[in-house]
Amino acid sequence: RRAVDIRNFAAVMRRYWLILVCAPILCAVLAGLAYVGGIVPKTYTATATLSAIDPSSTVSQSNMSAILNSFARLAPGEADGSLGQLSISYGSGLNSQALLFEAESGNPDSCVTLANEAALATCDNLREYFANLTEQTDAYDPNEGLADSGVDSDILSYRALLNRKPTFEFCQIDVIPADSAQPSGWGMGRIVLVAFVGGLVGAAGALCLIDMVKRPIKSRRDLFDLEVPVLAAGGNEAVVERTWANVIARYGGAPASMCLVPVKGQEPCVLAEDLAGIASKTAGHVFGVIASVPTAVEILACEPFQDSADTVLASHSADVTVLVVRQWENTRADVDTALREAATANANVVGAVLV
């Protein structure tokens, strides 16, 4: 069943290959025009760096890290979010630790302003905080304990202070401002590529969905699933000869009259004329041991059952009735309807021709 589904998918793709080619190209072109025209919003990022270093090495890495991480959590709430989005991350090097202020906005100038203002404001707060820590550590007495020392313990971990007093006055806080904003997000190339792939997948999905809903007759297999014998498929002279031969074989002899009924659409006049030509060429001939072909064979090209009452009478009176199915135009529902109408008319349906 899976192999059949794959074949059906391949058949649909081959049938509508032009749509599969044009749809993704059109989507890619529109995406490119939208990007160039500014319809697709562009984003920029700017990064300012705040570095903290203690040349005296009296402040431990853990204490410095605790302070910077705390300010990384507090600083976004103090930043002006109306200019854009601000994110702050912590980083460390061999001799210094840093906060990275990354601003994102649709305006490059707003990015630079937001990142620099947040970094400078945090720098001022840190310097003030370190000055306050210097006063507190100078006044700290390990014998009194943290509860009685008056030291703010909400931000800084003071485990190291139980053994020694770090000197915060030597800490250096510097800001490397952002000079310019860089484009971020998806560039034009990626947007065009995504639009192309999306157009291709969307077109293929839409075609498969239409095929699932409409269920057109694509090949012999579809008629076999409906238990309709396929006399021939195609439109050349060999197919017409095969149709006539299969009609004789299934009827058990050469019919004196044959009714061609399309399941939907126009009358099969061309097929009727071709069959009449084949019948006239083989008049009086003997096909194996089946039967000889009469000198006159009446072939009627009729309208669909649901369009004409004459078709009902003609198919009932004819020796055989052949359904004419147009590939990709007629659906399974059309064939089902024609079979029910033929059964109601008590027509002798020997099979179908797929044209």
Side-chain angles (χ1 to χ4, degrees):
R1 180 62 183 174
R2 184 175 181 179
V4 172
D5 292 341
I6 294 176
R7 289 196 297 267
N8 284 339
F9 175 79
V12 172
M13 298 304 105
R14 287 195 301 268
R15 172 71 177 181
Y16 300 106
W17 66 269
L18 186 59
I19 295 178
L20 288 177
V21 172
C22 294
I25 293 177
L26 179 61
C27 290
V29 171
L30 292 177
L33 293 176
Y35 184 86
V36 173
I39 299 177
V40 177
K42 301 177 183 178
T43 57
Y44 301 87
T45 58
T47 303
T49 304
L50 183 150
S51 63
I53 186 172
D54 176 26
S56 66
S57 300
T58 61
V59 179
S60 66
Q61 289 281 344
S62 60
N63 281 339
M64 186 69 77
S65 173
I67 295 172
L68 292 183
N69 274 308
S70 298
F71 273 87
R73 292 191 298 269
L74 297 176
E78 301 172 358
D80 183 7
S82 63
L83 297 178
Q85 300 295 326
L86 178 68
S87 62
I88 302 176
S89 58
Y90 167 79
S92 62
L94 294 176
N95 299 318
S96 65
Q97 301 185 55
L99 292 179
L100 302 178
F101 296 81
E102 183 174 320
E104 184 178 35
S105 175
N107 188 308
D109 295 333
S110 298
C111 280
V112 175
T113 300
L114 177 58
N116 290 340
E117 287 183 353
L120 292 173
T122 304
C123 178
D124 294 339
N125 293 337
L126 270 174
R127 287 173 178 171
E128 181 181 351
Y129 182 73
F130 279 137
N132 182 43
L133 285 179
T134 300
E135 296 178 1
Q136 294 187 66
T137 52
D138 289 341
Y140 172 66
D141 185 356
N143 296 324
E144 295 180 0
L146 292 177
D148 301 327
S149 64
V151 177
D152 182 5
S153 60
D154 292 337
I155 297 181
L156 182 62
S157 173
Y158 280 89
R159 295 180 213 169
L161 299 183
L162 297 177
N163 299 320
R164 64 178 182 146
K165 295 181 179 180
T167 305
F168 292 95
E169 60 182 325
F170 293 112
C171 293
Q172 297 178 359
I173 312 295
D174 297 310
V175 172
I176 302 176
D179 296 329
S180 61
Q182 301 297 325
S184 64
W186 288 6
M188 180 176 178
R190 181 177 293 183
I191 290 177
V192 169
L193 178 61
V194 171
F196 180 87
V197 175
L200 180 61
V201 174
L207 291 175
C208 289
L209 181 61
I210 294 174
D211 178 72
M212 292 174 59
V213 174
K214 188 177 179 181
R215 303 180 71 192
I217 300 297
K218 299 182 286 294
S219 64
R220 290 172 172 263
R221 291 190 304 271
D222 296 319
L223 292 176
F224 290 154
D225 293 341
L226 296 173
E227 299 181 354
V228 178
V230 179
L231 303 178
N236 52 32
E237 185 176 354
V239 171
V240 177
E241 293 178 356
R242 187 177 182 85
T243 301
W244 179 239
N246 280 326
V247 167
I248 294 176
R250 289 190 59 80
Y251 181 62
S257 60
M258 181 169 61
C259 187
L260 296 179
V261 182
V263 296
K264 192 174 184 180
Q266 297 178 351
E267 299 176 5
C269 297
V270 175
L271 179 60
E273 293 175 359
D274 293 340
L275 282 172
I278 294 295
S280 63
K281 290 180 182 179
T282 57
H285 291 192
V286 176
F287 287 79
V289 295
I290 298 176
S292 62
V293 180
T295 57
V297 179
E298 184 181 17
I299 300 177
L300 304 175
C302 302
E303 298 181 43
F305 281 108
Q306 61 269 29
D307 293 345
S308 175
D310 293 337
T311 302
V312 175
L313 299 175
S315 63
H316 176 77
S317 301
D319 291 338
V320 296
T321 297
V322 176
L323 299 180
V324 181
V325 182
R326 288 181 171 81
Q327 192 175 18
W328 292 101
E329 294 182 17
N330 298 142
T331 65
R332 293 193 177 199
D334 297 335
V335 177
D336 283 335
T337 301
L339 290 174
R340 288 196 299 268
E341 294 286 348
T344 302
N346 197 23
N348 181 21
V349 178
V350 294
V353 178
L354 187 62
V355 296

